[in-house]
Coordinates of all heavy atoms in Angstrom, one line a residue:
Chain A
L19 N -1.1 -25.4 -25.9 CA -1.7 -24.1 -26.3 C -2.4 -24.3 -27.7 O -3.5 -23.7 -27.9 CB -0.6 -23.1 -26.6 CG 0.0 -22.6 -25.1 CD1 1.0 -21.6 -25.4 CD2 -1.1 -22.0 -24.3
A26 N -7.1 -21.7 -23.0 CA -5.9 -21.9 -22.3 C -5.1 -20.7 -21.9 O -5.1 -19.7 -22.5 CB -4.9 -23.0 -22.9
R27 N -4.4 -20.8 -20.7 CA -3.6 -19.7 -20.3 C -2.2 -20.3 -19.9 O -2.2 -21.3 -19.1 CB -4.1 -18.9 -19.1 CG -5.3 -18.1 -19.3 CD -5.1 -16.9 -20.3 NE -6.5 -16.3 -20.5 CZ -7.5 -16.7 -21.4 NH1 -7.2 -17.8 -22.0 NH2 -8.6 -16.2 -21.5
I28 N -1.1 -19.6 -20.1 CA 0.1 -20.0 -19.5 C 0.2 -19.5 -18.1 O -0.3 -18.2 -17.8 CB 1.3 -19.3 -20.2 CG1 1.2 -19.9 -21.7 CG2 2.6 -19.4 -19.6 CD1 2.3 -19.1 -22.7
F29 N 0.7 -20.2 -17.3 CA 1.0 -19.9 -15.8 C 2.4 -19.9 -15.5 O 3.0 -21.1 -15.6 CB 0.2 -21.1 -15.0 CG 0.2 -20.7 -13.5 CD1 -1.0 -20.1 -12.9 CD2 1.3 -21.0 -12.7 CE1 -1.0 -19.9 -11.6 CE2 1.2 -20.7 -11.4 CZ 0.2 -20.1 -10.7
A30 N 3.0 -18.8 -15.3 CA 4.6 -18.8 -15.0 C 4.6 -18.7 -13.5 O 4.5 -19.7 -12.8 CB 5.1 -17.5 -15.7
G31 N 4.8 -17.5 -13.0 CA 4.8 -17.3 -11.4 C 3.5 -17.4 -10.8 O 3.3 -17.6 -9.7
G32 N 2.4 -17.0 -11.7 CA 1.2 -16.9 -11.2 C 0.8 -15.6 -10.4 O -0.3 -15.5 -9.9
G33 N 1.8 -14.8 -10.4 CA 1.6 -13.5 -9.6 C 0.4 -12.7 -10.1 O -0.2 -12.0 -9.4
D34 N 0.2 -12.7 -11.4 CA -1.0 -11.9 -11.9 C -2.1 -12.9 -12.2 O -3.3 -12.6 -11.8 CB -0.6 -11.1 -13.2 CG -1.6 -10.3 -13.5 OD1 -2.5 -9.8 -12.7 OD2 -1.7 -9.8 -14.8
L35 N -1.8 -13.9 -12.8 CA -2.9 -14.8 -13.3 C -3.8 -15.5 -12.2 O -5.0 -15.4 -12.4 CB -2.3 -16.1 -14.2 CG -3.3 -16.9 -14.8 CD1 -4.1 -16.1 -15.9 CD2 -2.7 -18.1 -15.5
T36 N -3.2 -15.7 -11.0 CA -4.0 -16.3 -9.9 C -5.1 -15.2 -9.5 O -6.2 -15.6 -9.3 CB -3.1 -16.5 -8.8 OG1 -1.9 -17.3 -9.3 CG2 -3.7 -17.4 -7.7
T37 N -4.6 -14.0 -9.4 CA -5.6 -12.9 -9.0 C -6.7 -12.8 -10.1 O -7.9 -12.8 -9.5 CB -4.9 -11.5 -8.8 OG1 -3.7 -11.7 -8.1 CG2 -5.8 -10.6 -8.1
L38 N -6.4 -12.8 -11.3 CA -7.3 -12.6 -12.3 C -8.4 -13.8 -12.3 O -9.6 -13.6 -12.5 CB -6.7 -12.6 -13.7 CG -5.9 -11.3 -14.0 CD1 -5.1 -11.5 -15.3 CD2 -6.9 -10.1 -14.2
D44 N -10.6 -13.5 -15.3 CA -10.1 -14.5 -16.4 C -10.6 -15.9 -16.0 O -10.4 -16.2 -14.9 CB -8.7 -14.4 -16.6 CG -8.3 -15.0 -18.0 OD1 -9.2 -15.4 -18.7 OD2 -7.1 -15.0 -18.2
V50 N -1.8 -23.8 -18.2 CA -0.5 -24.6 -18.5 C 0.5 -24.0 -17.8 O 1.0 -22.9 -18.0 CB -0.2 -24.4 -20.1 CG1 0.9 -25.3 -20.5 CG2 -1.5 -24.7 -20.9
I52 N 4.3 -23.5 -16.9 CA 5.6 -23.5 -17.5 C 6.7 -23.5 -16.5 O 7.9 -23.4 -16.9 CB 5.7 -22.3 -18.6 CG1 5.7 -20.9 -17.9 CG2 4.7 -22.5 -19.7 CD1 6.2 -19.8 -18.9
I58 N 14.2 -22.6 -19.9 CA 13.7 -21.3 -20.0 C 14.1 -20.5 -18.6 O 13.5 -19.3 -18.4 CB 12.3 -21.1 -20.4 CG1 11.4 -22.0 -19.6 CG2 12.1 -21.3 -21.9 CD1 9.9 -21.7 -19.8
A72 N 12.6 -16.9 -20.6 CA 11.2 -16.3 -20.1 C 10.9 -16.6 -18.7 O 10.1 -15.8 -18.1 CB 10.1 -16.8 -21.1
M73 N 11.3 -17.7 -18.2 CA 10.8 -18.1 -16.8 C 11.7 -17.6 -15.7 O 11.7 -17.9 -14.6 CB 10.7 -19.7 -16.8 CG 9.9 -20.2 -15.7 SD 8.2 -19.6 -15.5 CE 8.2 -19.3 -13.8
T74 N 12.8 -16.8 -16.1 CA 13.8 -16.3 -15.1 C 13.0 -15.4 -14.2 O 12.3 -14.6 -14.6 CB 14.8 -15.5 -15.9 OG1 15.4 -16.4 -16.7 CG2 15.8 -14.9 -15.0
I75 N 13.2 -15.6 -12.9 CA 12.5 -14.8 -12.0 C 13.2 -13.4 -11.8 O 14.4 -13.2 -12.1 CB 12.4 -15.4 -10.6 CG1 13.7 -15.6 -9.9 CG2 11.5 -16.7 -10.7 CD1 13.6 -16.1 -8.4
L76 N 12.3 -12.4 -11.4 CA 12.8 -11.0 -11.4 C 13.9 -10.8 -10.3 O 14.7 -10.1 -10.5 CB 11.6 -10.2 -11.1 CG 10.5 -10.2 -12.2 CD1 9.2 -9.5 -11.7 CD2 11.1 -9.6 -13.4
A95 N 15.0 -2.1 -12.9 CA 13.4 -2.2 -13.1 C 13.0 -3.5 -12.5 O 12.0 -3.5 -11.7 CB 13.2 -2.1 -14.6
A98 N 12.6 -3.0 -8.9 CA 11.6 -2.0 -8.4 C 10.2 -2.7 -8.6 O 9.2 -2.0 -8.3 CB 11.7 -0.7 -9.3
V99 N 10.2 -3.8 -9.1 CA 8.8 -4.4 -9.4 C 8.3 -4.9 -7.9 O 9.0 -5.4 -7.1 CB 8.9 -5.7 -10.2 CG1 7.5 -6.6 -10.1 CG2 9.2 -5.3 -11.7
A100 N 7.0 -4.5 -7.6 CA 6.2 -5.2 -6.5 C 7.0 -5.2 -5.3 O 7.6 -4.3 -4.8 CB 5.7 -6.4 -6.9
S101 N 7.1 -6.4 -4.7 CA 7.7 -6.7 -3.4 C 8.7 -7.8 -3.4 O 8.5 -8.7 -4.5 CB 6.5 -6.9 -2.4 OG 6.0 -8.2 -2.8
Q103 N 8.5 -10.8 -2.3 CA 7.9 -12.1 -2.5 C 7.5 -12.2 -4.0 O 7.7 -13.3 -4.5 CB 6.6 -12.2 -1.6 CG 6.9 -12.3 -0.1 CD 6.7 -11.0 0.5 OE1 7.1 -9.9 0.0 NE2 6.3 -11.1 1.8
L104 N 7.0 -11.1 -4.4 CA 6.4 -11.1 -5.9 C 7.6 -11.3 -6.9 O 7.5 -11.9 -7.8 CB 5.7 -10.0 -6.2 CG 4.1 -10.1 -5.6 CD1 3.6 -8.7 -5.3 CD2 3.3 -10.8 -6.5
R105 N 8.7 -10.7 -6.5 CA 9.9 -10.7 -7.3 C 10.5 -12.3 -7.3 O 11.2 -12.7 -8.2 CB 11.0 -9.8 -7.0 CG 10.6 -8.3 -7.2 CD 11.7 -7.4 -7.1 NE 12.4 -7.3 -5.8 CZ 11.8 -6.4 -5.0 NH1 10.8 -5.6 -5.2 NH2 12.5 -6.2 -3.7
M107 N 8.7 -14.9 -7.1 CA 7.9 -15.8 -7.9 C 7.7 -15.3 -9.2 O 7.5 -16.2 -10.2 CB 6.5 -15.7 -7.1 CG 6.4 -16.3 -5.8 SD 7.0 -18.1 -5.8 CE 5.6 -18.8 -6.7
G108 N 7.7 -14.1 -9.5 CA 7.3 -13.5 -10.8 C 8.5 -13.6 -11.9 O 9.7 -13.4 -11.6
S109 N 8.1 -14.0 -13.1 CA 9.0 -14.3 -14.1 C 9.0 -13.1 -15.0 O 8.0 -12.3 -15.1 CB 8.6 -15.4 -15.1 OG 7.3 -15.2 -15.7
I110 N 10.1 -12.9 -15.8 CA 10.2 -11.8 -16.7 C 9.1 -11.9 -17.8 O 8.4 -11.0 -18.2 CB 11.6 -11.7 -17.4 CG1 11.8 -10.5 -18.4 CG2 12.1 -12.9 -18.0 CD1 12.1 -9.2 -17.7
G111 N 8.9 -13.1 -18.4 CA 7.8 -13.3 -19.4 C 6.5 -13.0 -18.8 O 5.6 -12.2 -19.5
G112 N 6.2 -13.4 -17.6 CA 4.9 -13.0 -17.0 C 4.8 -11.5 -16.8 O 3.8 -10.9 -16.9
N113 N 6.0 -10.9 -16.4 CA 5.9 -9.5 -16.1 C 5.6 -8.7 -17.4 O 4.8 -7.6 -17.3 CB 7.2 -9.0 -15.6 CG 7.1 -7.5 -15.0 OD1 7.6 -6.7 -15.6 ND2 6.7 -7.4 -13.7
L114 N 6.0 -9.2 -18.5 CA 5.8 -8.4 -19.7 C 4.4 -8.8 -20.3 O 3.7 -7.9 -20.9 CB 6.8 -8.9 -20.9 CG 8.2 -8.7 -20.6 CD1 9.0 -9.2 -21.7 CD2 8.5 -7.1 -20.5
C115 N 3.8 -9.8 -19.9 CA 2.5 -10.2 -20.4 C 1.3 -9.9 -19.3 O 0.2 -10.4 -19.5 CB 2.4 -11.7 -20.9 SG 3.5 -11.9 -22.2
Q116 N 1.7 -9.3 -18.2 CA 0.6 -9.1 -17.2 C -0.4 -8.3 -17.7 O -0.3 -7.4 -18.7 CB 1.2 -8.6 -16.0 CG 2.0 -7.2 -16.2 CD 2.5 -6.6 -14.9 OE1 1.7 -6.5 -13.9 NE2 3.7 -6.4 -14.8
R117 N -1.7 -8.3 -17.2 CA -2.8 -7.6 -17.7 C -3.0 -6.2 -17.1 O -2.2 -6.0 -16.0 CB -4.1 -8.4 -17.4 CG -4.0 -9.8 -18.0 CD -3.8 -9.9 -19.6 NE -4.6 -8.9 -20.4 CZ -5.8 -9.1 -21.0 NH1 -6.4 -10.3 -20.8 NH2 -6.3 -8.1 -21.7
R119 N -3.8 -2.8 -14.8 CA -4.2 -2.8 -13.5 C -5.4 -1.8 -13.3 O -5.8 -1.4 -12.1 CB -3.1 -2.2 -12.5 CG -1.9 -3.0 -12.5 CD -2.0 -4.5 -12.2 NE -2.6 -4.8 -10.8 CZ -2.6 -5.8 -10.2 NH1 -2.0 -6.9 -10.8 NH2 -2.9 -6.0 -9.0
R124 N -10.3 -4.5 -13.3 CA -10.1 -5.4 -12.2 C -11.4 -5.6 -11.4 O -11.6 -6.5 -10.5 CB -8.9 -5.1 -11.2 CG -7.6 -5.0 -12.0 CD -6.8 -6.2 -11.8 NE -5.7 -6.3 -12.8 CZ -4.9 -7.3 -12.8 NH1 -4.8 -8.3 -11.9 NH2 -3.9 -7.3 -13.7
P161 N 1.4 -1.8 -17.2 CA 1.8 -2.0 -15.8 C 3.4 -2.4 -15.5 O 4.0 -2.3 -14.6 CB 1.0 -3.0 -15.1 CG 0.4 -3.9 -16.3 CD 0.4 -2.9 -17.5
S162 N 4.0 -3.0 -16.6 CA 5.2 -3.6 -16.5 C 6.4 -2.6 -16.4 O 6.6 -1.8 -17.2 CB 5.6 -4.6 -17.6 OG 6.8 -5.0 -17.7
D163 N 7.1 -2.8 -15.2 CA 8.4 -2.0 -15.1 C 9.5 -2.5 -16.0 O 10.2 -1.8 -16.5 CB 8.8 -2.0 -13.7 CG 7.9 -1.3 -12.7 OD1 7.4 -0.3 -13.1 OD2 7.8 -1.7 -11.6
T164 N 9.6 -3.7 -16.3 CA 10.8 -4.3 -17.0 C 10.7 -4.0 -18.3 O 11.5 -3.8 -19.2 CB 11.0 -5.8 -16.8 OG1 9.7 -6.5 -17.2 CG2 11.1 -6.3 -15.4
A165 N 9.3 -3.9 -18.8 CA 9.1 -3.5 -20.3 C 9.8 -2.2 -20.7 O 10.4 -2.0 -21.7 CB 7.6 -3.5 -20.6
T176 N 11.8 -13.2 -28.2 CA 11.5 -14.3 -29.0 C 10.3 -14.9 -28.8 O 10.0 -15.3 -27.6 CB 12.7 -15.3 -28.8 OG1 14.0 -14.5 -29.0 CG2 12.6 -16.5 -29.8
F191 N 6.5 -5.4 -29.8 CA 5.8 -6.4 -29.2 C 4.5 -5.8 -28.6 O 3.4 -6.5 -28.5 CB 6.7 -7.1 -28.1 CG 6.0 -8.1 -27.2 CD1 5.9 -9.4 -27.7 CD2 5.6 -7.8 -25.9 CE1 5.3 -10.4 -27.0 CE2 5.0 -8.8 -25.1 CZ 4.8 -10.1 -25.7
N203 N -0.4 -6.9 -26.4 CA 0.7 -7.3 -27.1 C 0.3 -8.2 -28.3 O -0.8 -8.5 -28.4 CB 1.8 -8.0 -26.2 CG 1.2 -9.3 -25.6 OD1 0.7 -10.2 -26.2 ND2 1.3 -9.2 -24.1
L205 N 1.1 -11.2 -29.0 CA 0.9 -12.7 -28.9 C -0.5 -13.2 -29.3 O -1.4 -12.6 -28.9 CB 1.2 -13.1 -27.5 CG 2.6 -13.0 -26.9 CD1 2.5 -13.6 -25.6 CD2 3.6 -13.8 -27.8
E209 N 0.7 -18.7 -28.7 CA 2.1 -18.3 -28.8 C 2.6 -18.0 -27.3 O 1.9 -17.8 -26.4 CB 2.3 -17.1 -29.5 CG 2.1 -17.4 -31.1 CD 2.2 -16.1 -31.9 OE1 2.2 -15.0 -31.4 OE2 2.7 -16.3 -33.0
L210 N 3.9 -18.2 -27.2 CA 4.6 -17.8 -25.9 C 5.9 -17.1 -26.0 O 6.5 -17.3 -27.2 CB 4.7 -18.9 -25.0 CG 5.8 -19.9 -25.2 CD1 6.2 -20.6 -24.0 CD2 5.3 -21.0 -26.2
I211 N 6.2 -16.5 -25.0 CA 7.6 -15.8 -25.1 C 8.5 -16.9 -24.6 O 8.2 -17.6 -23.6 CB 7.8 -14.7 -24.1 CG1 6.8 -13.5 -24.6 CG2 9.1 -14.2 -24.1 CD1 6.9 -12.2 -23.7
T212 N 9.7 -17.0 -25.3 CA 10.6 -18.0 -24.8 C 11.9 -17.4 -24.2 O 12.6 -17.8 -23.3 CB 11.0 -19.1 -25.8 OG1 11.4 -18.3 -27.0 CG2 9.9 -20.0 -26.2
E213 N 12.3 -16.2 -24.9 CA 13.5 -15.7 -24.6 C 13.5 -14.1 -24.8 O 12.8 -13.8 -25.7 CB 14.7 -16.3 -25.4 CG 16.0 -15.8 -25.0 CD 17.1 -16.3 -25.8 OE1 17.3 -16.0 -27.0 OE2 18.1 -17.2 -25.2
K229 N 11.7 5.2 -11.1 CA 10.1 5.0 -10.8 C 9.6 5.7 -9.6 O 10.2 5.7 -8.6 CB 10.0 3.4 -10.7 CG 8.7 3.0 -10.1 CD 8.6 1.5 -10.1 CE 7.3 1.0 -9.4 NZ 7.2 -0.5 -9.3
R231 N 6.6 5.8 -7.0 CA 5.4 5.1 -6.5 C 5.0 5.6 -5.3 O 5.7 6.3 -4.6 CB 5.7 3.6 -6.4 CG 6.8 3.2 -5.6 CD 7.1 1.7 -5.5 NE 8.4 1.2 -5.1 CZ 8.7 0.1 -5.5 NH1 7.8 -0.9 -5.8 NH2 9.9 -0.4 -5.2
R233 N 4.2 4.2 -2.2 CA 4.8 3.6 -1.0 C 6.2 3.1 -1.5 O 6.4 2.9 -2.7 CB 4.0 2.4 -0.4 CG 2.7 2.9 0.2 CD 1.8 1.7 0.6 NE 1.4 0.9 -0.5 CZ 1.0 -0.2 -0.3 NH1 0.8 -0.8 0.8 NH2 0.6 -1.0 -1.5
S235 N 7.3 0.1 -1.4 CA 7.2 -1.3 -1.8 C 5.8 -1.5 -2.4 O 5.0 -0.7 -2.2 CB 7.6 -2.4 -0.8 OG 7.5 -3.6 -1.2
W236 N 5.7 -2.6 -3.2 CA 4.5 -3.1 -3.6 C 3.9 -2.4 -4.7 O 3.2 -2.8 -5.5 CB 3.4 -3.2 -2.5 CG 3.4 -4.5 -1.8 CD1 4.3 -5.3 -1.5 CD2 2.1 -5.0 -1.1 NE1 3.8 -6.4 -0.9 CE2 2.5 -6.3 -0.6 CE3 0.9 -4.6 -1.0 CZ2 1.6 -7.0 0.1 CZ3 -0.1 -5.4 -0.3 CH2 0.3 -6.6 0.3
D237 N 4.0 -1.0 -4.8 CA 3.2 -0.3 -5.8 C 3.7 -0.1 -7.2 O 5.0 -0.1 -7.3 CB 3.0 1.2 -5.1 CG 2.1 1.2 -4.0 OD1 1.4 0.1 -3.8 OD2 2.2 2.2 -3.1
F238 N 2.8 -0.2 -8.1 CA 3.1 0.1 -9.5 C 3.5 1.5 -9.6 O 3.3 2.4 -8.8 CB 1.8 -0.1 -10.4 CG 1.5 -1.6 -10.5 CD1 0.6 -2.3 -9.5 CD2 2.1 -2.5 -11.4 CE1 0.4 -3.7 -9.7 CE2 1.8 -3.7 -11.6 CZ 1.1 -4.4 -10.7
A239 N 4.2 1.8 -10.9 CA 4.7 3.1 -11.0 C 3.5 4.1 -11.4 O 2.6 3.9 -12.0 CB 5.5 3.1 -12.3
Chain B
N701 N -8.8 -4.2 -2.0 CA -7.8 -5.3 -1.8 C -6.6 -4.6 -1.1 O -6.4 -3.5 -1.2 CB -7.4 -5.9 -3.1 CG -6.8 -4.9 -4.1 OD1 -5.7 -4.4 -3.8 ND2 -7.6 -4.7 -5.3
Y702 N -5.8 -5.6 -0.5 CA -4.7 -5.1 0.2 C -3.7 -4.3 -0.5 O -3.1 -3.3 0.0 CB -3.9 -6.2 0.9 CG -4.1 -6.4 2.4 CD1 -4.9 -5.6 3.0 CD2 -3.5 -7.5 3.0 CE1 -5.1 -5.8 4.4 CE2 -3.6 -7.6 4.5 CZ -4.4 -6.7 5.1 OH -4.5 -6.9 6.5
H703 N -3.4 -4.7 -1.7 CA -2.4 -4.0 -2.5 C -2.8 -2.6 -2.8 O -2.0 -1.7 -2.5 CB -2.2 -4.9 -3.8 CG -1.5 -4.2 -4.7 ND1 -1.9 -3.8 -6.0 CD2 -0.3 -3.5 -4.7 CE1 -1.0 -3.2 -6.7 NE2 0.1 -3.0 -5.9
E704 N -4.1 -2.4 -3.3 CA -4.4 -1.1 -3.8 C -4.9 -0.2 -2.6 O -4.6 1.1 -2.7 CB -5.5 -1.1 -4.8 CG -5.2 -0.6 -6.1 CD -5.6 -1.6 -7.1 OE1 -6.2 -2.6 -6.9 OE2 -5.1 -1.6 -8.3
Ligands
FAD1 C1 0.7 -6.7 -5.6 C2 1.3 -6.7 -6.8 C3 2.2 -5.7 -7.2 C4 2.8 -5.6 -8.3 N1 3.7 -4.6 -8.6 C5 4.3 -4.6 -9.9 C6 5.2 -3.5 -10.2 O1 5.3 -2.6 -9.4 N2 5.7 -3.6 -11.4 C7 5.5 -4.6 -12.3 O2 6.2 -4.5 -13.3 N3 4.8 -5.7 -12.0 C8 4.2 -5.6 -10.7 N4 3.4 -6.7 -10.5 C9 3.2 -7.9 -11.3 C10 4.4 -8.8 -11.0 O3 5.5 -8.5 -11.5 C11 3.9 -10.2 -11.4 O4 4.8 -11.1 -10.9 C12 4.2 -10.5 -12.9 O5 3.4 -9.5 -13.6 C13 3.7 -11.7 -13.3 O6 4.7 -12.6 -13.4 P1 4.4 -14.1 -13.2 O7 5.5 -14.9 -13.6 O8 3.9 -14.3 -11.8 O9 3.2 -14.3 -14.3 P2 1.9 -15.0 -14.3 O10 0.9 -14.4 -13.4 O11 2.0 -16.5 -14.2 O12 1.4 -14.6 -15.9 C14 1.0 -13.3 -16.2 C15 0.5 -13.4 -17.5 O13 1.4 -13.5 -18.4 C16 1.2 -14.7 -19.3 N5 2.4 -15.3 -19.5 C17 3.3 -15.7 -18.5 N6 4.5 -16.3 -19.0 C18 4.4 -16.1 -20.3 C19 5.3 -16.3 -21.5 N7 6.4 -16.9 -21.2 N8 4.7 -16.2 -22.7 C20 3.5 -15.7 -22.9 N9 2.6 -15.3 -21.9 C21 3.1 -15.6 -20.6 C22 0.1 -15.5 -18.4 O14 -0.6 -16.3 -19.2 C23 -0.6 -14.5 -17.6 O15 -1.6 -13.9 -18.5 C24 2.7 -6.7 -9.2 C25 1.8 -7.8 -9.0 C26 1.2 -7.8 -7.8 C27 0.2 -8.9 -7.4

Side-chain angles (χ1 to χ4, degrees):
Chain A
L19 292 178
R27 295 289 177 284
I28 293 173
F29 187 99
D34 189 26
L35 189 60
T36 313
T37 316
L38 290 169
D44 199 2
V50 186
I52 62 167
I58 49 171
M73 197 55 226
T74 304
I75 61 164
L76 299 167
V99 167
S101 63
Q103 294 96 323
L104 285 154
R105 293 196 291 274
M107 293 303 292
S109 67
I110 178 89
N113 189 264
L114 297 176
C115 299
Q116 59 177 306
R117 305 302 316 272
R119 297 312 294 202
R124 300 262 162 180
S162 167
D163 287 327
T164 60
T176 306
F191 178 75
N203 56 56
L205 286 183
E209 292 181 331
L210 76 152
I211 299 179
T212 51
E213 189 183 64
K229 161 176 175 178
R231 52 177 156 196
R233 294 172 298 165
S235 182
W236 268 30
D237 290 338
F238 286 89
Chain B
N701 60 65
Y702 249 3
H703 168 235
E704 244 128 11

